PDB file of all heavy atoms in Angstrom:
ATOM      1  N   GLY Q  42     -16.966 -14.685  65.436  1.00  0.00           N
ATOM      2  CA  GLY Q  42     -16.719 -13.254  65.485  1.00  0.00           C
ATOM      3  C   GLY Q  42     -17.836 -12.425  64.890  1.00  0.00           C
ATOM      4  O   GLY Q  42     -18.179 -11.345  65.364  1.00  0.00           O
ATOM      5  N   GLY Q  58     -12.023 -29.590  71.026  1.00  0.00           N
ATOM      6  CA  GLY Q  58     -10.826 -30.018  71.716  1.00  0.00           C
ATOM      7  C   GLY Q  58     -10.968 -31.381  72.354  1.00  0.00           C
ATOM      8  O   GLY Q  58     -10.033 -32.196  72.318  1.00  0.00           O
ATOM      9  N   ARG Q  88      10.755 -33.861  69.414  1.00  0.00           N
ATOM     10  CA  ARG Q  88      10.311 -32.534  69.774  1.00  0.00           C
ATOM     11  C   ARG Q  88      10.378 -31.558  68.602  1.00  0.00           C
ATOM     12  O   ARG Q  88       9.582 -30.632  68.494  1.00  0.00           O
ATOM     13  CB  ARG Q  88      11.169 -31.989  70.922  1.00  0.00           C
ATOM     14  CG  ARG Q  88      10.723 -30.644  71.487  1.00  0.00           C
ATOM     15  CD  ARG Q  88      11.775 -30.055  72.394  1.00  0.00           C
ATOM     16  NE  ARG Q  88      12.970 -29.680  71.665  1.00  0.00           N
ATOM     17  CZ  ARG Q  88      13.983 -28.966  72.200  1.00  0.00           C
ATOM     18  NH1 ARG Q  88      13.945 -28.611  73.448  1.00  0.00           N
ATOM     19  NH2 ARG Q  88      15.041 -28.675  71.461  1.00  0.00           N
ATOM     20  N   VAL Q 103      -0.431 -16.059  59.880  1.00  0.00           N
ATOM     21  CA  VAL Q 103       0.011 -14.721  59.450  1.00  0.00           C
ATOM     22  C   VAL Q 103      -0.291 -14.501  57.975  1.00  0.00           C
ATOM     23  O   VAL Q 103      -0.888 -13.494  57.570  1.00  0.00           O
ATOM     24  CB  VAL Q 103       1.512 -14.552  59.738  1.00  0.00           C
ATOM     25  CG1 VAL Q 103       2.033 -13.280  59.092  1.00  0.00           C
ATOM     26  CG2 VAL Q 103       1.771 -14.531  61.231  1.00  0.00           C
ATOM     27  N   SER Q 125      -9.522  -4.577  41.566  1.00  0.00           N
ATOM     28  CA  SER Q 125      -8.420  -3.715  42.008  1.00  0.00           C
ATOM     29  C   SER Q 125      -7.942  -4.115  43.393  1.00  0.00           C
ATOM     30  O   SER Q 125      -6.744  -4.035  43.687  1.00  0.00           O
ATOM     31  CB  SER Q 125      -8.877  -2.261  42.015  1.00  0.00           C
ATOM     32  OG  SER Q 125      -9.970  -2.078  42.915  1.00  0.00           O
ATOM     33  N   LEU Q 131      -0.947  -8.659  44.126  1.00  0.00           N
ATOM     34  CA  LEU Q 131      -0.117  -9.233  43.043  1.00  0.00           C
ATOM     35  C   LEU Q 131       1.375  -9.173  43.346  1.00  0.00           C
ATOM     36  O   LEU Q 131       2.103 -10.152  43.105  1.00  0.00           O
ATOM     37  CB  LEU Q 131      -0.423  -8.501  41.742  1.00  0.00           C
ATOM     38  CG  LEU Q 131       0.287  -9.050  40.489  1.00  0.00           C
ATOM     39  CD1 LEU Q 131      -0.078 -10.510  40.267  1.00  0.00           C
ATOM     40  CD2 LEU Q 131      -0.063  -8.197  39.275  1.00  0.00           C
ATOM     41  N   TRP Q 142      10.980 -20.468  44.008  1.00  0.00           N
ATOM     42  CA  TRP Q 142      11.766 -21.139  42.985  1.00  0.00           C
ATOM     43  C   TRP Q 142      13.262 -20.992  43.243  1.00  0.00           C
ATOM     44  O   TRP Q 142      14.029 -21.964  43.158  1.00  0.00           O
ATOM     45  CB  TRP Q 142      11.389 -20.576  41.620  1.00  0.00           C
ATOM     46  CG  TRP Q 142      12.188 -21.159  40.511  1.00  0.00           C
ATOM     47  CD1 TRP Q 142      12.134 -22.448  40.026  1.00  0.00           C
ATOM     48  CD2 TRP Q 142      13.191 -20.501  39.735  1.00  0.00           C
ATOM     49  NE1 TRP Q 142      13.039 -22.605  38.989  1.00  0.00           N
ATOM     50  CE2 TRP Q 142      13.714 -21.431  38.800  1.00  0.00           C
ATOM     51  CE3 TRP Q 142      13.697 -19.194  39.747  1.00  0.00           C
ATOM     52  CZ2 TRP Q 142      14.688 -21.108  37.890  1.00  0.00           C
ATOM     53  CZ3 TRP Q 142      14.696 -18.875  38.828  1.00  0.00           C
ATOM     54  CH2 TRP Q 142      15.174 -19.818  37.913  1.00  0.00           C
ATOM     55  N   ARG Q 155      19.280 -22.856  56.999  1.00  0.00           N
ATOM     56  CA  ARG Q 155      19.656 -21.495  57.384  1.00  0.00           C
ATOM     57  C   ARG Q 155      18.869 -20.430  56.644  1.00  0.00           C
ATOM     58  O   ARG Q 155      18.779 -19.290  57.095  1.00  0.00           O
ATOM     59  CB  ARG Q 155      21.158 -21.296  57.166  1.00  0.00           C
ATOM     60  CG  ARG Q 155      22.029 -22.025  58.148  1.00  0.00           C
ATOM     61  CD  ARG Q 155      23.492 -21.804  57.843  1.00  0.00           C
ATOM     62  NE  ARG Q 155      23.896 -22.483  56.627  1.00  0.00           N
ATOM     63  CZ  ARG Q 155      25.138 -22.430  56.116  1.00  0.00           C
ATOM     64  NH1 ARG Q 155      26.059 -21.701  56.705  1.00  0.00           N
ATOM     65  NH2 ARG Q 155      25.436 -23.084  55.002  1.00  0.00           N
ATOM     66  N   VAL Q 159      16.453 -16.032  57.230  1.00  0.00           N
ATOM     67  CA  VAL Q 159      16.425 -14.926  56.293  1.00  0.00           C
ATOM     68  C   VAL Q 159      15.004 -14.656  55.816  1.00  0.00           C
ATOM     69  O   VAL Q 159      14.563 -13.511  55.696  1.00  0.00           O
ATOM     70  CB  VAL Q 159      17.354 -15.213  55.098  1.00  0.00           C
ATOM     71  CG1 VAL Q 159      17.308 -14.088  54.069  1.00  0.00           C
ATOM     72  CG2 VAL Q 159      18.775 -15.446  55.579  1.00  0.00           C
ATOM     73  N   LEU Q 165       9.124 -10.282  58.324  1.00  0.00           N
ATOM     74  CA  LEU Q 165       8.910  -9.340  59.421  1.00  0.00           C
ATOM     75  C   LEU Q 165       9.125  -7.900  58.951  1.00  0.00           C
ATOM     76  O   LEU Q 165       8.356  -6.999  59.329  1.00  0.00           O
ATOM     77  CB  LEU Q 165       9.858  -9.667  60.572  1.00  0.00           C
ATOM     78  CG  LEU Q 165       9.742  -8.791  61.819  1.00  0.00           C
ATOM     79  CD1 LEU Q 165       8.378  -8.903  62.447  1.00  0.00           C
ATOM     80  CD2 LEU Q 165      10.846  -9.166  62.829  1.00  0.00           C
ATOM     81  N   SER Q 178      -0.706   6.686  55.962  1.00  0.00           N
ATOM     82  CA  SER Q 178      -1.381   6.988  54.702  1.00  0.00           C
ATOM     83  C   SER Q 178      -2.636   7.837  54.930  1.00  0.00           C
ATOM     84  O   SER Q 178      -3.329   7.654  55.949  1.00  0.00           O
ATOM     85  CB  SER Q 178      -1.778   5.709  53.963  1.00  0.00           C
ATOM     86  OG  SER Q 178      -0.635   4.969  53.587  1.00  0.00           O
ATOM     87  N   ALA Q 227      -2.567 -30.470  57.001  1.00  0.00           N
ATOM     88  CA  ALA Q 227      -3.771 -30.200  57.798  1.00  0.00           C
ATOM     89  C   ALA Q 227      -3.576 -29.002  58.741  1.00  0.00           C
ATOM     90  O   ALA Q 227      -4.446 -28.136  58.830  1.00  0.00           O
ATOM     91  CB  ALA Q 227      -4.155 -31.444  58.581  1.00  0.00           C
ATOM     92  N   GLY Q 232      -3.998 -23.309  60.408  1.00  0.00           N
ATOM     93  CA  GLY Q 232      -3.370 -22.019  60.658  1.00  0.00           C
ATOM     94  C   GLY Q 232      -3.976 -20.908  59.838  1.00  0.00           C
ATOM     95  O   GLY Q 232      -4.191 -19.786  60.335  1.00  0.00           O
ATOM     96  N   ALA Q 256     -13.042   4.954  56.137  1.00  0.00           N
ATOM     97  CA  ALA Q 256     -11.696   4.836  55.569  1.00  0.00           C
ATOM     98  C   ALA Q 256     -10.635   4.874  56.665  1.00  0.00           C
ATOM     99  O   ALA Q 256      -9.693   4.071  56.668  1.00  0.00           O
ATOM    100  CB  ALA Q 256     -11.465   5.971  54.569  1.00  0.00           C
ATOM    101  N   GLY Q 262      -7.765  -0.573  61.581  1.00  0.00           N
ATOM    102  CA  GLY Q 262      -7.913  -2.012  61.715  1.00  0.00           C
ATOM    103  C   GLY Q 262      -6.803  -2.769  61.011  1.00  0.00           C
ATOM    104  O   GLY Q 262      -6.273  -3.770  61.553  1.00  0.00           O
ATOM    105  N   ALA Q 270       0.323  -9.465  63.608  1.00  0.00           N
ATOM    106  CA  ALA Q 270       1.015 -10.431  62.762  1.00  0.00           C
ATOM    107  C   ALA Q 270       2.529 -10.381  62.998  1.00  0.00           C
ATOM    108  O   ALA Q 270       3.203 -11.423  62.953  1.00  0.00           O
ATOM    109  CB  ALA Q 270       0.696 -10.168  61.299  1.00  0.00           C
ATOM    110  N   ILE Q 274       4.979 -13.513  64.006  1.00  0.00           N
ATOM    111  CA  ILE Q 274       6.208 -13.883  63.288  1.00  0.00           C
ATOM    112  C   ILE Q 274       7.346 -14.094  64.267  1.00  0.00           C
ATOM    113  O   ILE Q 274       8.168 -15.019  64.121  1.00  0.00           O
ATOM    114  CB  ILE Q 274       6.556 -12.799  62.245  1.00  0.00           C
ATOM    115  CG1 ILE Q 274       5.499 -12.764  61.140  1.00  0.00           C
ATOM    116  CG2 ILE Q 274       7.917 -13.057  61.633  1.00  0.00           C
ATOM    117  CD1 ILE Q 274       5.670 -11.617  60.168  1.00  0.00           C
ATOM    118  N   ALA Q 282      13.267 -22.223  65.575  1.00  0.00           N
ATOM    119  CA  ALA Q 282      14.600 -22.559  66.104  1.00  0.00           C
ATOM    120  C   ALA Q 282      14.610 -23.924  66.765  1.00  0.00           C
ATOM    121  O   ALA Q 282      15.638 -24.621  66.761  1.00  0.00           O
ATOM    122  CB  ALA Q 282      15.046 -21.491  67.100  1.00  0.00           C
ATOM    123  N   ARG Q 288      23.508 -29.149  66.862  1.00  0.00           N
ATOM    124  CA  ARG Q 288      24.873 -29.330  66.392  1.00  0.00           C
ATOM    125  C   ARG Q 288      25.651 -30.227  67.356  1.00  0.00           C
ATOM    126  O   ARG Q 288      25.627 -30.019  68.551  1.00  0.00           O
ATOM    127  CB  ARG Q 288      25.580 -27.976  66.268  1.00  0.00           C
ATOM    128  CG  ARG Q 288      24.996 -27.084  65.179  1.00  0.00           C
ATOM    129  CD  ARG Q 288      25.799 -25.816  65.070  1.00  0.00           C
ATOM    130  NE  ARG Q 288      25.294 -24.946  64.031  1.00  0.00           N
ATOM    131  CZ  ARG Q 288      25.829 -23.759  63.718  1.00  0.00           C
ATOM    132  NH1 ARG Q 288      26.886 -23.336  64.404  1.00  0.00           N
ATOM    133  NH2 ARG Q 288      25.321 -23.025  62.749  1.00  0.00           N
ATOM    134  N   PRO Q 292      34.790 -33.669  67.084  1.00  0.00           N
ATOM    135  CA  PRO Q 292      35.755 -34.442  67.872  1.00  0.00           C
ATOM    136  C   PRO Q 292      37.067 -33.698  67.990  1.00  0.00           C
ATOM    137  O   PRO Q 292      37.563 -33.076  67.042  1.00  0.00           O
ATOM    138  CB  PRO Q 292      35.917 -35.747  67.056  1.00  0.00           C
ATOM    139  CG  PRO Q 292      35.474 -35.380  65.684  1.00  0.00           C
ATOM    140  CD  PRO Q 292      34.416 -34.322  65.845  1.00  0.00           C
ATOM    141  N   LYS Q 293      37.673 -33.773  69.174  1.00  0.00           N
ATOM    142  CA  LYS Q 293      38.932 -33.089  69.426  1.00  0.00           C
ATOM    143  C   LYS Q 293      40.078 -33.839  68.772  1.00  0.00           C
ATOM    144  O   LYS Q 293      40.152 -35.071  68.802  1.00  0.00           O
ATOM    145  CB  LYS Q 293      39.190 -32.954  70.929  1.00  0.00           C
ATOM    146  CG  LYS Q 293      38.166 -32.106  71.661  1.00  0.00           C
ATOM    147  CD  LYS Q 293      38.542 -31.989  73.127  1.00  0.00           C
ATOM    148  CE  LYS Q 293      37.537 -31.104  73.850  1.00  0.00           C
ATOM    149  NZ  LYS Q 293      37.880 -30.978  75.294  1.00  0.00           N
ATOM    150  N   VAL Q 323      83.816 -49.544  59.694  1.00  0.00           N
ATOM    151  CA  VAL Q 323      83.689 -48.096  59.721  1.00  0.00           C
ATOM    152  C   VAL Q 323      82.231 -47.729  59.561  1.00  0.00           C
ATOM    153  O   VAL Q 323      81.553 -48.240  58.661  1.00  0.00           O
ATOM    154  CB  VAL Q 323      84.517 -47.450  58.581  1.00  0.00           C
ATOM    155  CG1 VAL Q 323      84.363 -45.924  58.574  1.00  0.00           C
ATOM    156  CG2 VAL Q 323      85.988 -47.834  58.724  1.00  0.00           C
ATOM    157  N   SER Q 339      64.344 -46.182  66.517  1.00  0.00           N
ATOM    158  CA  SER Q 339      64.762 -46.452  65.151  1.00  0.00           C
ATOM    159  C   SER Q 339      64.673 -45.195  64.344  1.00  0.00           C
ATOM    160  O   SER Q 339      63.715 -44.439  64.441  1.00  0.00           O
ATOM    161  CB  SER Q 339      63.839 -47.527  64.521  1.00  0.00           C
ATOM    162  OG  SER Q 339      63.947 -48.705  65.233  1.00  0.00           O
ATOM    163  N   SER Q 345      67.577 -45.940  58.165  1.00  0.00           N
ATOM    164  CA  SER Q 345      67.760 -47.287  58.654  1.00  0.00           C
ATOM    165  C   SER Q 345      68.413 -48.172  57.615  1.00  0.00           C
ATOM    166  O   SER Q 345      69.165 -49.079  57.919  1.00  0.00           O
ATOM    167  CB  SER Q 345      66.417 -47.872  59.090  1.00  0.00           C
ATOM    168  OG  SER Q 345      65.573 -47.983  57.973  1.00  0.00           O
TER     169      SER Q 345
END
Side-chain angles (χ1 to χ4, degrees):
R88 186 192 67 171
V103 170
S125 61
L131 184 60
W142 177 69
R155 287 179 290 178
V159 178
L165 181 62
S178 295
I274 294 173
R288 294 183 179 180
K293 296 182 178 180
V323 178
S339 298
S345 64

